[in-house]
Amino acid sequence: MTFDDEIKIKISQLSDPPKLIDNWEDIADKLSDSFNWKGSKIDWKKTINYKSSQLFGNYSNWVLVIKKFIYDNEICAEIKKSKVIYYINDSSLNFAVQLTYKQFDNFLAFAVENIPQHHYFFDSSNKWCLVISSEGYVDFGLSQKNLQT
């Protein structure tokens, strides 16, 4: 059984499982086109309302810090406006996940605790992106290219 298969099974067992998307390359390409990049990472200096925080401790501690970061910085308002939220992983998974706001918190905790590498959460119009890096940072910014209200 591959890592993808293991994670897909675990996702299917969540109380409100999100939709899995096997053909995720177009989703990743749209995200890539919507933000400026510096090497393999988003160039956060070229985003609007950029926020960042360092993460310490184990992954369970990270979840609490990330959720506090999201609510303290009113990022939850942007996320809540999104009808569709996508999740892609830097390199561990070969599929994307489609979420609703209602599924977001539960899946965020699941992803951080069970899936290695970098985590990218973004809305279907690629207006915003939340990244949790394996180096221990959470970053959020609005796209200068796709900022539409």
Side-chain angles (χ1 to χ4, degrees):
M1 182 178 296
T2 67
F3 183 69
D4 269 20
D5 295 333
E6 289 177 31
I7 294 300
K8 285 179 177 181
I9 290 169
K10 288 181 180 181
I11 289 172
S12 74
Q13 296 170 342
L14 293 173
S15 61
D16 183 12
K19 179 180 176 182
L20 303 180
I21 303 170
D22 287 321
N23 296 321
W24 59 276
E25 291 84 0
D26 286 344
I27 295 168
D29 288 345
K30 287 178 185 174
L31 174 68
S32 182
D33 292 344
S34 298
F35 285 86
N36 293 300
W37 295 77
K38 191 173 187 178
S40 63
K41 296 181 181 182
I42 291 175
D43 187 350
W44 294 108
K45 292 179 182 178
K46 294 184 179 176
T47 61
I48 300 167
N49 292 341
Y50 171 62
K51 309 279 188 225
S52 182
S53 183
Q54 191 167 5
L55 304 168
F56 297 98
N58 62 34
Y59 291 139
S60 294
N61 291 344
W62 282 22
V63 172
L64 297 173
V65 173
I66 293 164
K67 287 183 179 182
K68 184 175 179 353
F69 170 81
I70 289 169
Y71 290 96
D72 286 355
N73 290 295
E74 299 182 20
I75 295 166
C76 61
E78 280 300 326
I79 296 170
K80 194 172 192 174
K81 287 190 267 184
S82 305
K83 292 183 181 182
V84 174
I85 300 165
Y86 289 116
Y87 166 83
I88 59 174
N89 182 269
D90 199 21
S91 62
S92 295
L93 303 177
N94 288 315
F95 61 90
V97 178
Q98 181 179 319
L99 309 158
T100 64
Y101 175 72
K102 184 177 153 189
Q103 295 167 316
F104 179 79
D105 279 348
N106 191 32
F107 184 79
L108 173 91
F110 170 81
V112 169
E113 293 177 356
N114 291 281
I115 305 169
Q117 300 295 330
H118 304 310
H119 307 277
Y120 293 83
F121 292 90
F122 51 98
D123 67 324
S124 59
S125 64
N126 300 301
K127 179 180 173 183
W128 59 264
C129 188
L130 175 76
V131 177
I132 301 145
S133 72
S134 56
E135 294 92 6
Y137 290 92
V138 58
D139 299 287
F140 175 86
L142 299 173
S143 169
Q144 290 180 344
K145 296 179 180 183
N146 286 357
L147 190 59
Q148 301 167 358
T149 55

